């Protein structure tokens, strides 16, 4: 029996993982802890094998007044929880970082390899990167640190950019046809990865992703098909999109950002659902 503590009660990833484990009938006992409760530090961490830390601010804001909050939550709170976990003899700490530690997507091909050095371009990415460095200082043979840097996570009930794109795909009759490339990660593939990480007691930095890269126009097309909608794709708008590529929204939708596929292959299988099936499962 593996005892797992998830910090981030009611979070999308935490809740999804808990449900996934139940459906897999795995030999896991899971508890959740709400870090918004000011009394969380009184909670007894002892007796858990792994701590899955998903609490944090997940989406970027350009509001400078929020900057310190990102570091307080994503960096300092993470370090505080990990320090308590280590003192409580928890053997493994799993931290949800992000591909965003490598900075923004680009208009041209952008492939991240193991040699790519993190260069955060905003305080959201930097708060994650700073947390990673603090966690590395806690790691030893008795306290294994797992840093997960996923690309965009999506699935039924997910938040962020995917549901916005889904709503758009169901409404508009025309969409730009741009040949970009993105890494994505369906929630089931992430949950299977975390399950395997706990069972195998791994440590280190990991880059899980779907087995396929995604083109935005193909993604929109498959969402539309799932809803029996017809969309026409055209290159007519491409010059305008390139002109406004500096805008965050345009960059997120049409930019290029992928992990080299080899760096996401491990000695265990976690890519349990392919791209086409994942869209059907998310939309229906």
């Amino acid at each position: 029996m593996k005892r797992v503590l998830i910090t981030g009660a009611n979070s999308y990833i935490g809740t999804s993982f808990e449900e996934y484990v139940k459906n897999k009938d795995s030999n896991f006992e899971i508890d959740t802890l709400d870090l918004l409760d000011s009394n969380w530090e009184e909670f007894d961490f002892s007796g858990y094998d792994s701590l899955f830390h998903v609490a944090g601010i997940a989406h970027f804001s350009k509001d400078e007044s929020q900057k310190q909050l990102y570091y307080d939550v994503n960096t300092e709170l993470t370090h505080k929880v990990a320090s308590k976990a280590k003192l409580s003899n928890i053997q493994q700490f799993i931290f949800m970082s992000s591909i965003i530690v490598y900075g923004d997507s680009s208009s041209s091909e952008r492939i991240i390899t193991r040699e790519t050095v993190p260069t955060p371009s905003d305080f959201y990415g930097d708060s994650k990167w700073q947390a990673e460095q603090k966690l590395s200082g806690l790691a030893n043979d008795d306290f294994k640190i797992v840093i997960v840097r996923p690309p965009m996570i999506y699935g039924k009930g997910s938040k962020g950019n995917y549901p916005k794109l889904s709503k758009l795909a169901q409404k508009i009759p025309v969409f730009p046809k741009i040949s970009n490339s993105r890494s994505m990660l369906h929630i089931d593939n992430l949950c299977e990865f975390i399950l395997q990480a706990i069972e195998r007691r791994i440590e280190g930095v990991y880059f899980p992703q779907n087995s396929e890269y995604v083109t935005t126009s193909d993604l929109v097309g498959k969402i539309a098909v799932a809803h029996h909608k017809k969309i026409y794709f055209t290159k007519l708008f491409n010059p305008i999109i390139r002109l406004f590529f500096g805008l965050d929204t345009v960059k997120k939708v049409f930019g290029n950002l992928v992990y080299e596929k080899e760096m996401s292959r491990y000695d265990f299988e976690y890519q349990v659902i392919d791209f086409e099936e994942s869209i059907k499962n998310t939309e229906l």
Side-chain angles (χ1 to χ4, degrees), residues 82 85-86 90-93 138-145:
K86 184 176 182 178
I90 290 179
Q91 300 166 355
Q92 183 189 51
F93 186 90
L138 295 174
N140 60 30
D141 291 341
D142 298 318
F143 189 59
K144 299 181 183 299
I145 299 293

Side-chain angles (χ1 to χ4, degrees), residues 165-181:
L165 200 60
S166 176
K167 288 180 180 178
L168 188 65
Q170 296 174 54
K171 292 179 180 179
I172 61 172
V174 180
F175 193 82
K177 186 175 181 60
I178 289 184
S179 182
N180 67 327
S181 189

Side-chain angles (χ1 to χ4, degrees), residues 106-118:
S106 64
S107 56
S108 58
E109 179 182 76
R110 183 159 189 228
I111 302 175
I112 295 169
T113 69
R114 290 189 181 276
E115 286 69 47
T116 304
V117 178

Side-chain angles (χ1 to χ4, degrees), residues 32 40 109 115 131 224 227 252 272 276 279:
T32 59
W40 73 264
E109 179 182 76
E115 286 69 47
H227 292 277
K252 288 176 181 177
V272 295
E276 189 164 348
I279 298 302

Side-chain angles (χ1 to χ4, degrees), residues 150-269:
M152 184 176 78
I153 298 167
Y154 68 102
K156 187 175 288 294
S158 62
K159 300 176 182 178
N161 293 320
Y162 180 90
K164 295 176 183 177
L165 200 60
S166 176
K167 288 180 180 178
L168 188 65
Q170 296 174 54
K171 292 179 180 179
I172 61 172
V174 180
F175 193 82
K177 186 175 181 60
I178 289 184
S179 182
N180 67 327
S181 189
R182 303 297 295 247
S183 288
M184 293 177 63
L185 181 62
H186 186 263
I187 188 64
D188 283 359
N189 290 337
L190 172 61
C191 289
E192 179 63 26
F193 177 87
I194 299 301
L195 185 153
Q196 295 284 345
I198 294 170
E199 287 188 334
R200 295 166 183 268
R201 289 193 61 207
I202 62 175
E203 60 184 322
V205 183
Y206 292 85
F207 318 88
Q209 63 177 326
N210 290 348
S211 58
E212 313 95 329
Y213 293 150
V214 178
T215 299
T216 303
S217 58
D218 188 35
L219 171 60
V220 168
K222 283 183 167 50
I223 293 172
V225 168
H227 292 277
H228 307 290
K229 301 289 184 180
K230 180 66 176 178
I231 291 184
Y232 294 93
F233 294 92
T234 177
K235 295 182 178 180
L236 183 65
F237 305 112
N238 291 16
I240 299 174
I241 290 171
R242 293 190 182 99
L243 183 64
F244 289 97
F245 196 84
L247 298 177
D248 285 334
T249 301
V250 176
K251 197 180 299 182
K252 288 176 181 177
V253 174
F254 297 108
N256 294 273
L257 186 63
V258 300
Y259 281 129
E260 182 184 54
K261 288 188 177 180
E262 186 59 36
M263 66 194 288
S264 298
R265 297 188 180 111
Y266 308 110
D267 60 357
F268 56 89
E269 180 56 52

